[in-house]
């Protein structure tokens, strides 16, 4: 079992920056990939960024060049640095973890979410 807790959300103006944190605890050794998802009201949840245990990263086209996913293994924490924020980035952001052996797009662990609101 893995527990994920997001933090760092809040209200920012367009063009501003925010850093989200995801603290992991439990059977962390079982995690192959960590991801940030987001869900805006009335929209489907979408993948924003992923980082593998080996450090490979992927980003949604909508955030490339603006968002950066990273990790601090010593702190068991994954980050999402969000720059040049747009109102369209407003959503609840979720941290997710994928176990070794899971399907490519299946995530087994989820945090409670943290609200990011970008005003214009």
């Amino acid at each position: 079992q893995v527990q994920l807790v997001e933090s760092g959300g809040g209200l920012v103006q367009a063009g501003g920056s925010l850093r989200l944190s995801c603290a992991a605890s439990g059977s962390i050794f079982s995690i192959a990939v960590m991801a940030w998802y987001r869900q805006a009201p009335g929209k489907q949840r979408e993948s924003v960024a992923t980082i593998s245990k080996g450090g490979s990263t992927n980003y949604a086209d909508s955030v490339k060049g603006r968002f950066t996913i990273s990790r601090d293994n010593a702190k068991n924490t994954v980050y999402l640095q969000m720059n040049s924020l747009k109102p369209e980035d407003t959503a609840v952001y979720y941290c997710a973890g994928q176990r070794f052996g899971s399907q490519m797009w299946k995530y087994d662990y989820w945090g409670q979410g943290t609200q990011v609101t970008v005003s214009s």
Side-chain angles (χ1 to χ4, degrees):
Q1 180 66 32
V2 172
Q3 296 80 44
L4 304 175
V5 180
E6 304 99 332
S7 62
L11 174 63
V12 298
Q13 293 183 335
S17 297
L18 206 60
R19 188 179 75 161
L20 305 183
S21 299
C22 173
S25 62
S27 302
I28 302 169
F29 65 89
S30 68
I31 299 176
V33 181
M34 295 293 297
W36 285 99
Y37 277 72
R38 67 185 182 187
Q39 186 168 31
K43 297 186 66 177
Q44 290 186 301
R45 187 174 297 182
E46 63 176 348
S47 177
V48 175
T50 65
I51 185 166
S52 72
K53 189 171 184 178
S56 298
T57 59
N58 284 284
Y59 298 92
D61 288 342
S62 59
V63 306
K64 285 181 179 177
R66 300 189 298 119
F67 290 11
T68 303
I69 188 170
S70 62
R71 67 171 187 255
D72 185 335
N73 290 332
K75 296 182 178 179
N76 299 132
T77 301
V78 176
Y79 303 96
L80 185 67
Q81 179 66 47
M82 304 184 293
N83 298 325
S84 302
L85 282 162
K86 305 174 181 179
E88 306 92 270
D89 296 317
T90 295
V92 177
Y93 283 71
Y94 297 90
C95 181
Q98 182 182 80
R99 295 196 304 246
F100 285 100
S102 294
Q103 297 179 42
M104 182 173 290
W105 305 116
K106 174 180 170 58
Y107 284 83
D108 305 284
Y109 308 107
W110 293 85
Q112 83 287 350
T114 185
Q115 177 71 47
V116 172
T117 302
V118 184
S119 65
S120 58

